[in-house]
Amino acid sequence: RNVVRIRGDNKLIDFDASVNIGERLTEKISSGYLPPEVAAVRFQLEESLDDLMRRKEELKQKFKDERGDDEQDKIWEELKVLKDKIKQVESAGSNSDKEEPVGDAQVDIWAYGVLMFELLTGRPLFNCDKNDNLLNDKEKRRLVNWKSITGEDLSDVLKDCPDQGLTESAKDLLRKCL
């Protein structure tokens, strides 16, 4: 059977959604294992370009009005994410006949990284249901806007391991996969 044991719990790894390199990904693939680029195409989040542009202008005004450095930093980060989202929506709009994503090494490496994260920390990278599908739009947005694994997430990697070299190697692997 396709089972992995994580912190005393058995987890089924569902291989019947697998495809050959170059084949179209099936609907059965678990969204918790999709790489951000594929998730962006698959989810096509509901926000319109007008909504995003309006939010961008609101944030720019808020940035000008805010005097605290910490708050300005948060607004700036949100603006950067929003600009990326606007590019995605503009690209998708001008590319409406975009092909459905296909299986490739990128999909496999990302999914491997997600699984390794769970094995090395004992917790999932994203909040998912029992079928490993993302629970809500907040998690979908988190995946679609993914830039890299955070220090907070990495702090959980092998946290009880006495071999610091092994821990750093595991973190390096996750940085490369995710």
Side-chain angles (χ1 to χ4, degrees):
R1 302 234 112 210
N2 308 320
V3 176
V4 179
R5 189 172 182 87
I6 300 173
R7 301 241 174 164
D9 291 328
N10 291 326
K11 181 174 181 75
L12 175 67
I13 306 300
D14 195 4
F15 288 116
D16 65 340
S18 63
V19 298
N20 291 321
I21 298 291
E23 286 183 3
R24 197 174 134 254
L25 296 176
T26 68
E27 290 300 316
K28 190 169 184 333
I29 192 166
S30 299
S31 62
Y33 292 96
L34 290 175
E37 299 80 10
V38 174
V41 173
R42 188 57 67 91
F43 298 142
Q44 297 178 353
L45 298 174
E46 311 79 37
E47 296 172 294
S48 72
L49 185 56
D50 289 339
D51 293 337
L52 293 171
M53 295 302 276
R54 194 172 13 264
R55 178 69 182 142
K56 178 182 170 187
E57 291 307 313
E58 289 169 4
L59 284 173
K60 284 169 67 176
Q61 186 59 48
K62 188 175 176 184
F63 183 82
K64 287 179 187 176
D65 296 343
E66 187 57 51
R67 297 290 175 231
D69 286 344
D70 289 343
E71 194 60 32
Q72 277 188 326
D73 288 346
K74 289 177 189 174
I75 296 168
W76 185 252
E77 288 303 313
E78 192 175 343
L79 268 168
K80 287 194 309 190
V81 169
L82 191 59
K83 284 180 182 180
D84 289 342
K85 179 65 178 167
I86 289 170
K87 285 180 189 173
Q88 285 177 341
V89 170
E90 287 173 336
S91 167
S94 65
N95 219 351
S96 57
D97 57 11
K98 197 177 233 180
E99 285 185 33
E100 190 66 20
V102 296
D104 62 12
Q106 173 188 358
V107 172
D108 291 343
I109 291 168
W110 175 268
Y112 174 75
V114 172
L115 179 61
M116 289 306 300
F117 179 85
E118 189 163 347
L119 290 170
L120 293 168
T121 63
R123 68 174 177 86
L125 185 57
F126 297 97
N127 292 318
C128 296
D129 62 18
K130 67 178 182 158
N131 294 319
D132 291 322
N133 289 310
L134 299 172
L135 279 179
N136 52 43
D137 285 343
K138 179 181 176 188
E139 288 298 299
K140 289 177 183 178
R141 275 191 281 286
R142 183 172 163 237
L143 173 57
V144 168
N145 295 316
W146 185 269
K147 297 292 177 226
S148 65
I149 191 162
T150 66
E152 182 180 338
D153 284 330
L154 286 173
S155 69
D156 287 343
V157 173
L158 296 174
K159 65 181 173 187
D160 298 326
C161 180
D163 184 344
Q164 195 59 31
L166 179 63
T167 300
E168 288 307 312
S169 294
K171 289 178 182 180
D172 186 51
L173 174 66
L174 289 174
R175 281 186 204 98
K176 289 177 178 169
C177 291
L178 302 173

